[in-house]
């Protein structure tokens, strides 16, 4: 088709519409991307909010549990002080002053120094009549406490109350801050006779509270119900004598609640904390614990900040990519406009080209279609372009009848072979006779797979006439050089006609002389593309400067192959200005010689190796093509003498390479890997093999064969660095690391922390690479069984991540995590991580002991004992446990011990009793102190007969016990025991305690120091 202004205008309009659609698509894509980013950020921020809420909830759970445990411990402590005050008050009321003084002394020695500030007695008018601080025989100075709260509380109390816990005050006798624990005194008629006061140091309570928390920013408060501070774990001196704020009093004033939480609240020290409080059972005291809010939230906030930074960077990169895409679209628009402009220029240019241009292709049915043609195409065929535009039949009608079949055959052959079309044919013009036309078209594949031929048609009528004349002259010349096997050629420079003789056509395998008349361009088309520039350059030098024209080149054969020919020629005729008019020459067939040369070249240049030849002075004398390209040499010219020094990275490398030449002289062959510098200055590793070119001449040249191994060298170096970094991470990891292969059989990695933690008597170097069983042999039996079980799961590809807690015989506790190592669904191995959690378990055990043990004897306290008994009874009722026996144990005449020796000795008696009884119990048995000198024992899984024997054994053990008293004879004492066997039909703990208690009192009434078993008949005898 012809390119017209109308066609170009339509193309411009289509381009504008396409540009508008692309702009709309970019705008819509930008809106979608902004919306997607908004949705993603909303989801991200929502997940951050959930993590903050979850962290807050876990902190509340922790602080609540701490407040409960500390409240239980404080309750046990105040219960013991209450019991001591009651005994002292009874001794004072009965008038046994010596017993009272011994009890005061025992109280002060039982607790750490400074815990009890003083013990004082005030009469009914509030005058202090006794103070433990007054050690002189002189009567104390009259001091009155009738205005103190702890005195007024008993003065106005009706009926008499128990122990009263007063606020911290500065003592008028001691001049120190103390908490006043007081109990009313009464005369024999029951009238109010005064107050017994125990002044407890707040500093002692503060030190006890400080030992619980590790973080100095956490706080524990001990408060009265009215909000008065009793003690504070830190900064206590700022709150003594004060109350909590009104807001806190409102939160703590709900008497019906035993525990609660509040916060976050900022304390007097300016630190914001999460608080939880619990009431102390049986006492008007609250324990409030506060966790530092900043310590709870800081790790999460840092992680969220990093997440926001990374996601923000990712979002910015995505938007940057979108902007880059828009920029590329803009460049596409600009290129499309430039293409349209180029088409317009080509349309104008094609109208000025001599001859005709065309584009030929096939439609969907396989028929030939003329897709493009310029006006000159129709002019050379003697056809009106406007009348026969695109009409192939009109063109065929112009072709000479004798050439139609050949033309069709050449077109069909080009289409079938998808190759270049070249053909010469005649057309018959209405005016002017016959014309010779030469056509040439090159196939070009399109993006959709279609194949188009782009070509030209030239009028070669004059050239054809010249060729006929040349053929006649050639025939005459052939008779002259008949014995010569070279072909003769002639070039008419003015008419641009190249004529070959038959031998030339025979050389290229065209005995039918199918090429016809050739111009210089046609001759160049027959040359190999790689030879065209070189041949043309030699020809121009000969025409312009008279240089001899002798060149080796490849000519296209009829079968599509190439034939090596040596062409020689000379200008035989020039005009007055020296321009060449005619040139004559010969073609010689050199294919056999070139094949031999190429065979040698293939061995050296086509292989993957770099080949160098060096003299014994280490000068390069030859380089194959690959070596020349790598070292920056001209592959078409022999290298000038060049020292091997330029290929080495340094002088030191060049000198170290020298001894290899000495080895060559003695061994004949040498091989090494070396780093050499290429033409671009980059250093690469090569596997080099040197061989003497002449084995009989050690001083002769050396052939070096080089293979590029740089990638392998660098990969090995990077792998070594990666392995070193990984080993450093494992060695410095704060926990024990053990890595095995995917079958769980071989140890791949371990660190010193693992060896130290597990007490393995081997260094890490002796473990890595060994079988896992080699390590297991040095582990405790239980831990070895755990590792073996994990290894078996790993070997069967059934193992999953897990965590276990394990106690070592040394007393340490380990937490063991196990993970499978996988990548792209491929098992790489297994990893065990051993964490030392001994400190954590010890703190946990300390808190549990504080909440469940009696502070004096170390036995279970009443609450813990009853809870354990209730759990055993419930399991018995559900059929999940065995029957058990309950023994009630009471010290006979214990008050006599206190009255005679003092409370300190009495406390020592109770301690020795617990030690002796505990030694007689089994691991599954339990001892508890229910109050005063009364104890209880749970014997698991025993019937009545065995329980009686065990109780009798305990009685005899206590009977043999001796308690040493300095300066006096050892104390001997006995116990009375009541036994009750608990069955699944028993309904409550209280009933079981009542039965065992009845049996114990039966033993006391019948002589003490004996064992009695409860039965229904026993209740009837007691009633009688």
């Amino acid at each position: 088709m012809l390119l017209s202004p109308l066609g170009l205008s339509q193309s411009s309009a289509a381009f504008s519409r396409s540009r508008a659609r692309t702009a709309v698509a970019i705008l819509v894509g930008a809106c979608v991307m902004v919306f997607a980013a908004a949705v993603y950020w909303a989801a991200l921020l929502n997940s951050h909010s959930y993590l903050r809420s979850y962290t807050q909830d876990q902190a509340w759970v922790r602080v609540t549990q701490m407040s409960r445990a500390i409240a239980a411990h404080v309750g046990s402590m105040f219960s013991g002080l209450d019991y001591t005050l009651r005994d002292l008050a009874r001794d004072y009321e009965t008038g046994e002053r010596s017993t009272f003084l011994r009890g005061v002394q025992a109280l002060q020695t039982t607790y750490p120094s400074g815990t009890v500030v003083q013990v004082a007695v005030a009469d009914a008018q509030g005058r202090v009549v006794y103070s433990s601080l007054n050690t002189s025989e002189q009567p104390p100075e009259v001091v009155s406490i009738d205005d103190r709260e702890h005195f007024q509380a008993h003065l106005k109390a009706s009926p008499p109350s128990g122990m009263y816990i007063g606020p911290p005050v500065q003592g008028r006798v001691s001049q120190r801050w103390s908490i006043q624990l007081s109990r009313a005194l009464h005369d024999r008629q029951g009238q109010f006779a005064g107050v017994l006061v125990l002044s407890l140091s707040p500093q002692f309570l503060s030190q006890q509270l400080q030992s619980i928390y590790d973080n100095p920013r956490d706080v524990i408060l001990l408060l009265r119900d009215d909000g008065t501070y009793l003690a504070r774990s830190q900064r206590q001196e700022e709150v003594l004598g004060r109350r909590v704020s009104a807001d806190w009093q409102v939160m703590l004033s709900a008497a019906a609640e035993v525990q609660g939480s509040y916060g976050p609240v900022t304390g007097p020290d300016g630190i914001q904390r999460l608080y939880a409080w619990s009431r102390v059972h049986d006492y008007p005291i609250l324990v409030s614990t506060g966790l530092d809010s900043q310590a709870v939230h800081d790790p999460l906030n840092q992680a969220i900040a990093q997440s926001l930074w990374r996601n923000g960077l990712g979002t910015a990169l995505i938007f940057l990519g979108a902007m880059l895409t828009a920029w590329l679209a803009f460049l596409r628009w600009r290129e499309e406009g430039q293409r349209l402009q180029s088409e317009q220029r080509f349309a104008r240019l094609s109208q000025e080209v001599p001859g005709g241009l065309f584009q030929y292709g096939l439609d969907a049915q396989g028929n030939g279609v003329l897709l493009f043609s310029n006006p000159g195409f129709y002019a050379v065929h003697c056809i009106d372009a406007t009348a026969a535009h695109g009409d192939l039949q009109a063109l065929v009608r112009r072709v000479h009848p004798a050439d139609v079949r050949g033309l069709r055959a050449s077109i069909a052959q080009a289409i079938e072979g998808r190759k270049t079309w070249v053909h010469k044919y005649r057309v018959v013009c209405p005016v002017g006779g016959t014309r010779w036309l030469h056509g040439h078209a090159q196939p070009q594949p399109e993006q959709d797979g279609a194949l188009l031929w782009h070509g030209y048609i030239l009028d070669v009528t004059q050239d054809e006439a010249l060729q006929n004349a040349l053929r006649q002259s050639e025939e005459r010349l052939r008779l002259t050089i008949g014995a010569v096997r070279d072909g003769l050629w002639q070039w008419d420079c003015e008419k641009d006609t190249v004529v070959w003789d038959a031998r030339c056509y025979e050389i290229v395998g065209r005995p039918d002389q199918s090429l016809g008349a050739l111009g210089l361009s046609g001759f160049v088309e027959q040359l190999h593309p790689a030879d065209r520039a070189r041949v043309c350059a030699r020809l121009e030098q000969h025409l312009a400067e008279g240089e001899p024209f002798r060149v080796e080149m490849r000519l296209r054969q009829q079968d599509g192959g190439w034939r090596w020919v040596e062409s020689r020629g000379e200008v035989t005729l020039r005009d007055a200005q020296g321009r060449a008019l005619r040139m004559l020459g010969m073609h010689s067939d050199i294919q056999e010689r070139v094949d031999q040369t190429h065979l040698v070249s293939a061995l050296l240049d086509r292989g993957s190796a770099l080949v160098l030849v060096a003299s014994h002075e280490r000068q390069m004398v030859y380089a194959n093509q690959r070596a020349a390209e790598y070292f920056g040499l001209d592959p078409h010219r022999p290298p000038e003498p060049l020292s091997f020094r330029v290929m080495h990275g340094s002088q030191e490398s060049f000198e170290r390479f020298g001894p290899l030449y000495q080895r060559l002289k003695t061994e004949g062959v040498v091989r090494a890997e070396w780093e050499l510098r290429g033409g671009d200055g980059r250093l690469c590793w090569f596997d080099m093999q040197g061989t003497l070119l002449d084995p009989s001449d050690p001083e002769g040249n050396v052939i070096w064969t080089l293979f590029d191994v740089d990638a392998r060298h660098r990969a090995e170096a990077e792998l070594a660095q990666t392995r070193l970094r990984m080993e450093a991470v494992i060695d410095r990891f704060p926990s024990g690391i053990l890595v095995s292969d995917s079958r769980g059989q071989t140890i791949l990695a371990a660190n010193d922390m693992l060896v130290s933690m597990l007490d393995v008597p081997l260094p890490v170097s002796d473990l890595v690479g060994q079988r896992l069983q080699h390590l297991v042999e040095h582990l405790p039996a239980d831990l070895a069984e755990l590792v073996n079980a994990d290894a078996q799961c790993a070997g069967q590809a059934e193992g999953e991540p897990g965590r276990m807690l394990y106690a070592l015989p040394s007393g340490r506790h380990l937490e063991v995590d196990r993970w499978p190592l996988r990548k792209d669904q491929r098992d790489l191995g297994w990893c065990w991580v051993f964490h030392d959690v001994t400190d954590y378990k010890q703190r946990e055990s300390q808190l549990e002991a504080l909440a469940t043990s009696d502070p004096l004897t170390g036995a279970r306290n009443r609450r813990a004992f009853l809870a354990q008994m209730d759990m055993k009874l419930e399991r018995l009722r559900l059929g999940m446990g065995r029957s058990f026996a309950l023994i009630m144990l009471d010290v006979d005449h214990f008050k006599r011990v206190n009255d005679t020796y003092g409370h300190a000795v009495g406390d020592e008696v109770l301690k020795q009793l617990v030690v002796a009884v505990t030694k007689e119990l089994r691991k599954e048995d339990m001892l508890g102190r229910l109050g005063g000198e009364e104890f209880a024992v749970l014997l698991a899984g025993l019937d009545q007969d065995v329980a009686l024997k065990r109780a009798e054994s305990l009685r005899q053990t206590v009977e043999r016990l001796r308690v040493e008293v300095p300066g006096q004879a050892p104390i001997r004492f006995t116990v009375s025991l009541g036994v009750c066997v608990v069955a699944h039909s028993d309904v409550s703990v209280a009933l079981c305690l009542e039965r065992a208690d009845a049996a114990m009192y039966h033993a006391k009434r019948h002589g003490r120091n004996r064992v009695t078993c409860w039965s229904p008949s026993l209740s009837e005898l007691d009633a009688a």
Side-chain angles (χ1 to χ4, degrees):
M1 66 177 175
L2 287 171
L3 292 177
S4 64
L6 177 59
L8 293 175
S9 176
Q10 292 175 347
S11 298
S12 299
F15 170 70
S16 298
R17 289 192 298 272
S18 173
R19 184 174 181 177
R21 287 194 299 269
T22 304
V24 171
I26 292 175
L27 180 60
V28 171
C31 294
V32 170
M33 181 175 294
V34 171
F35 176 76
V39 171
Y40 172 80
W41 275 92
L44 179 65
L45 295 177
N46 183 58
S47 67
H48 291 172
S49 177
Y50 169 78
L51 289 176
R52 288 192 177 97
S53 176
Y54 177 80
T55 303
Q56 183 94 343
D57 292 342
Q58 292 301 308
W60 281 120
V61 170
R62 178 186 171 195
V63 72
T64 301
Q65 291 175 345
M66 288 295 298
S67 70
R68 291 177 186 171
I70 298 171
H73 176 62
V74 171
S76 298
M77 182 185 67
F78 274 89
S79 175
L81 293 173
D82 188 11
Y83 179 82
T84 301
L85 273 179
R86 186 169 63 248
D87 286 349
L88 291 175
R90 184 171 63 249
D91 293 340
Y92 190 90
E93 289 171 347
T94 58
E96 298 178 359
R97 183 172 180 81
S98 61
T99 303
F100 171 78
L101 294 178
R102 285 196 300 271
V104 172
Q105 183 180 6
L107 173 65
Q108 292 177 329
T109 57
T110 299
Y111 292 92
S113 176
T115 302
V116 178
V117 177
Q118 73 166 338
V119 177
V121 178
D123 61 14
Q125 286 74 38
R127 297 187 297 270
V128 177
V129 297
Y130 169 77
S131 172
S132 61
L133 296 177
N134 184 19
T135 58
S136 65
E137 297 294 331
Q138 299 298 326
E141 182 182 353
V142 178
V143 176
S144 177
I145 62 170
D146 60 343
D147 59 336
R148 296 290 198 187
E149 181 179 328
H150 58 276
F151 179 86
Q152 292 293 327
H154 294 291
L155 180 65
K156 298 177 182 180
S158 181
S161 60
M163 182 179 72
Y164 182 80
I165 302 175
V169 297
Q170 194 166 17
R172 291 173 178 167
V173 176
S174 65
Q175 299 300 314
R176 294 168 55 189
W177 282 96
S178 60
I179 301 171
Q180 310 303 318
L181 307 181
S182 60
R183 179 175 283 276
L185 300 174
H186 299 86
D187 57 18
R188 297 183 183 276
Q189 289 75 33
Q191 298 298 319
F192 177 75
V195 174
L196 174 63
V197 181
L198 188 154
S199 299
L200 184 64
S201 171
Q203 187 64 28
F204 164 74
L205 296 178
S206 176
Q207 293 173 354
Q208 293 293 315
L209 298 178
Q210 289 174 6
S211 65
I212 295 176
Y213 271 138
D214 294 332
N215 186 359
R217 293 172 62 88
D218 297 334
V219 69
I220 303 175
L221 310 178
L222 189 61
L223 308 171
R224 295 204 318 168
D225 278 353
D226 60 356
T228 302
Y229 284 94
L230 295 180
R232 196 173 192 267
S233 61
Q234 51 182 271
R235 304 181 69 172
Q236 177 169 266
E237 64 280 358
E238 299 178 9
V239 298
L240 286 178
R242 297 173 56 186
R243 295 187 180 185
V244 296
S245 65
D247 294 338
W248 288 31
Q249 293 184 35
V250 172
M251 289 185 286
L252 302 174
S253 62
E257 298 180 0
V258 297
Q259 65 182 30
S261 59
Y262 53 95
V265 175
T266 302
D269 53 4
I271 299 175
Q272 190 180 64
R273 300 182 178 92
L274 308 176
Y275 288 93
W277 59 273
S278 296
R279 295 187 185 276
V280 178
H281 185 63
D282 294 334
Y283 296 99
I285 303 174
L286 295 91
V287 174
S288 178
T289 58
L291 288 181
D292 181 12
S293 180
Q294 180 179 352
V296 171
H297 293 288
D298 272 0
L300 177 62
N301 290 336
Q302 293 175 5
I304 290 176
Q306 294 178 359
S307 174
L308 292 175
W309 183 87
R310 290 193 297 268
N311 284 277
L313 179 60
T315 303
L317 292 176
I318 290 174
F319 276 96
L320 183 61
M323 295 173 63
L324 179 60
T325 302
W327 171 248
L328 293 176
F330 168 75
L331 295 179
R332 174 79 174 105
W333 293 341
R334 188 170 65 179
E335 290 174 358
E336 189 67 18
Q338 293 174 350
R339 184 189 63 81
L340 185 60
Q341 186 179 16
S342 298
E343 289 181 353
Q344 294 172 348
R345 293 174 179 173
F346 176 76
R348 290 191 294 269
L349 180 63
S350 65
Q351 297 177 6
E352 304 298 329
V353 173
L357 302 177
F358 68 94
Q359 186 183 69
Y360 180 83
L362 301 177
D363 60 13
Q365 290 74 32
N367 300 320
V369 179
L370 198 60
L371 301 176
F372 166 80
S373 57
N374 69 339
F377 178 82
Y378 295 97
V380 297
H381 287 87
C382 305
I383 298 175
D384 184 4
T386 58
H389 177 64
D391 187 1
L392 292 178
Q393 294 302 320
L395 293 173
V396 173
R397 287 193 293 269
R398 291 297 185 191
V399 177
H400 193 283
D403 296 340
V404 171
R405 178 176 298 179
L407 177 61
R408 291 183 183 274
S410 66
I411 294 175
Q413 184 179 5
I415 293 175
E416 181 179 359
R418 304 173 70 88
K419 59 185 181 180
T420 303
W421 173 74
V422 179
H423 191 69
K424 187 183 292 186
Y425 58 95
R426 293 167 291 178
V427 295
V428 180
C429 299
V431 178
T434 302
R435 291 183 181 180
W436 278 94
L437 301 182
H438 174 73
H440 181 277
Q442 189 76 19
Q444 179 68 39
E446 297 293 308
Q447 293 182 353
D448 58 359
L451 197 64
L452 300 181
W453 278 264
H454 306 271
Y456 58 86
I457 300 293
L458 296 177
D459 185 350
V460 294
T461 304
Q462 294 181 356
D463 295 339
E464 188 65 23
L466 180 59
Q467 287 183 4
N468 288 331
L470 286 176
R471 278 193 293 270
Q472 295 173 4
S473 176
E474 175 192 318
E475 188 64 27
R476 292 190 297 269
L477 184 61
R478 175 63 58 188
L479 296 175
T480 305
I481 58 173
V484 180
R485 297 295 296 166
D486 293 343
L488 184 67
W489 58 267
Q490 179 179 300
W491 177 33
D492 188 333
C493 302
E494 285 188 309
K495 298 180 179 180
D496 191 20
T497 304
V498 178
V499 181
W500 285 359
D501 68 356
R503 176 55 185 162
C504 289
Y505 283 105
E506 182 182 346
I507 290 174
V508 296
R510 297 178 184 270
D512 57 353
Q513 302 185 13
S514 56
L515 291 180
L518 292 175
L520 179 61
S521 60
F523 167 74
V524 173
E525 287 292 331
Q526 298 303 310
L527 295 175
H528 192 282
D531 299 338
R532 292 172 185 173
R534 179 168 52 85
V535 173
C536 291
R538 292 287 183 88
L539 182 60
E540 290 177 0
Q541 289 179 356
H542 177 70
L543 296 177
E545 304 173 7
E547 294 269 348
F549 177 74
R550 187 187 185 98
V551 63
E552 294 181 357
M553 58 189 178
R554 286 164 287 184
L555 291 175
R556 191 192 310 275
Q557 294 181 271
Q558 187 171 9
D559 59 1
W562 301 95
R563 194 78 176 178
W564 276 98
V565 174
E566 181 183 50
S567 182
R568 303 176 299 280
E570 185 176 0
V571 175
T572 58
L573 181 64
R574 295 179 181 269
D575 62 8
Q577 287 76 28
R579 290 178 300 182
L581 299 178
R582 184 175 299 170
M583 186 173 179
L584 186 65
M586 289 183 294
H587 289 331
S588 300
D589 186 356
I590 60 171
Q591 183 66 42
E592 184 176 352
R593 177 171 60 82
V594 171
D595 287 343
Q596 294 293 331
T597 303
H598 285 177
L599 179 60
V600 176
S601 177
L603 295 176
L604 297 178
D605 293 338
R606 305 306 180 193
S608 60
L610 283 67
V611 179
L612 299 172
V613 178
S615 65
H616 68 280
E617 294 91 0
R618 299 169 71 179
Q619 299 286 329
M620 185 188 307
V621 297
Y622 170 78
N624 71 343
Q625 183 175 355
R626 286 181 55 83
E629 291 174 353
Y630 180 79
F631 292 110
L633 307 176
D634 186 355
H636 302 294
R637 297 176 59 188
E640 298 178 359
L642 181 66
S643 172
F644 263 57
R645 169 63 184 87
V646 299
M647 296 188 296
H648 285 268
S650 64
Q651 180 65 30
E652 185 267 342
S653 172
F654 179 70
E655 292 174 355
R656 283 191 298 108
F657 196 81
L660 295 180
Y661 279 85
Q662 300 301 322
R663 288 177 53 191
L664 269 170
K665 294 179 180 180
T666 58
E667 301 176 11
V669 177
V670 69
R671 183 172 182 176
E673 290 190 358
W674 215 267
E675 196 174 24
L676 299 178
R677 186 188 306 276
D680 57 0
R682 187 168 58 93
L683 291 173
C684 287
W685 283 92
F686 289 94
D687 182 1
M688 303 181 63
Q689 180 171 340
T691 306
L692 290 174
L693 185 61
D694 183 359
S696 62
D697 183 10
E699 299 295 333
N701 292 344
V702 179
I703 300 177
W704 289 102
T705 306
L706 287 70
F707 293 93
D708 188 348
V709 294
D710 188 68
R712 174 174 64 80
H713 253 272
R714 298 189 185 279
E716 290 174 351
E718 182 62 27
L719 180 60
Q721 287 296 323
T722 302
R723 183 173 299 165
L724 289 176
R725 287 193 290 267
M726 182 59 67
E727 290 175 354
V729 170
I730 292 177
D731 288 342
R732 288 164 176 76
F733 198 74
S735 299
I737 297 292
L738 175 63
V739 180
S740 75
D741 61 359
S742 58
R743 297 183 301 166
Q745 298 296 322
T746 304
I747 299 174
L748 301 181
N751 62 357
D752 293 331
M753 182 63 73
L754 175 75
V755 173
S756 174
M757 190 179 296
L758 301 181
D759 297 326
V760 177
L762 295 174
V764 174
S765 58
D766 289 352
L767 293 177
V768 176
Q770 300 295 324
R771 296 183 63 82
L772 190 61
Q773 191 63 33
H774 187 60
L775 171 64
V776 171
E777 294 173 354
H778 300 280
L779 299 182
D782 293 343
L783 186 57
E785 182 178 353
L786 168 66
V787 175
N788 273 331
D790 286 347
Q792 291 175 3
C793 292
Q796 300 169 4
E798 298 174 354
E800 295 294 336
R803 174 176 292 178
M804 292 190 66
L805 192 64
Y806 178 77
L808 291 176
S810 62
R812 290 192 297 172
H813 289 77
L814 300 182
E815 187 177 72
V816 184
D817 289 327
R818 184 195 68 191
W819 299 301
L821 304 178
R822 296 190 179 99
K823 180 174 178 60
D824 300 331
Q825 305 300 320
R826 184 165 63 93
D827 291 333
L828 302 178
W830 286 85
C831 178
W832 288 268
V833 180
F834 298 80
H835 306 280
D836 191 338
V837 294
T838 304
D839 293 342
Y840 172 78
K841 295 298 292 183
Q842 289 176 349
R843 288 195 295 269
E844 187 179 72
S845 300
Q846 290 172 0
L847 288 176
E848 182 179 357
L850 288 174
T852 60
S853 60
D854 176 59
L856 176 63
T857 64
R860 294 290 182 96
N861 59 26
R862 181 184 183 91
R863 179 179 302 171
F865 182 86
L866 296 181
Q868 185 69 17
M869 183 176 174
D870 185 64
M871 182 179 68
K872 287 183 174 292
L873 185 59
E874 181 65 22
R875 290 177 56 84
L876 186 61
R877 284 197 293 266
L878 295 175
M880 300 172 60
R882 298 180 296 169
S883 61
F884 60 91
L886 172 65
I887 299 177
M888 295 291 290
L889 182 151
D890 188 82
V891 181
D892 297 332
H893 301 297
F894 182 69
K895 185 176 183 306
R896 186 181 301 169
V897 174
N898 280 337
D899 293 344
T900 304
Y901 300 98
H903 288 279
V905 176
D907 290 345
E908 184 63 27
V909 169
L910 296 180
K911 294 178 182 178
Q912 295 288 344
L913 171 65
V914 169
V915 172
V917 172
T918 301
K919 291 181 178 179
E920 296 296 321
L921 298 182
R922 300 170 298 173
K923 184 178 181 180
E924 59 268 26
D925 298 336
M926 182 174 64
L927 171 66
R929 184 184 182 192
L930 302 185
E933 66 274 16
E934 190 173 44
F935 295 84
V937 179
L938 281 180
L939 300 176
L942 302 182
D943 57 18
Q944 180 173 312
D945 293 339
V946 178
L948 284 173
K949 292 180 180 179
R950 295 292 306 280
E952 178 62 23
S953 176
L954 293 177
R955 185 195 66 77
Q956 294 175 6
T957 298
V958 175
E959 189 177 25
R960 292 192 297 267
L961 188 62
R962 303 289 186 272
V963 178
E964 299 292 338
V965 179
Q968 301 185 40
I971 298 175
R972 298 177 60 184
F973 62 95
T974 60
V975 292
S976 299
L977 301 95
V979 181
C980 173
V981 178
V982 182
H984 63 82
S985 58
D986 293 331
V987 296
S988 68
V989 172
L991 177 61
C992 297
L993 290 174
E994 181 180 344
R995 291 175 177 176
D997 196 57
M1000 181 192 70
Y1001 276 103
H1002 182 276
K1004 281 185 175 291
R1005 285 194 296 269
H1006 290 78
R1008 292 183 171 84
N1009 191 23
R1010 64 183 61 227
V1011 177
T1012 303
C1013 184
W1014 181 87
S1015 64
S1017 60
L1018 181 66
S1019 300
E1020 295 175 358
L1021 290 174
D1022 289 343

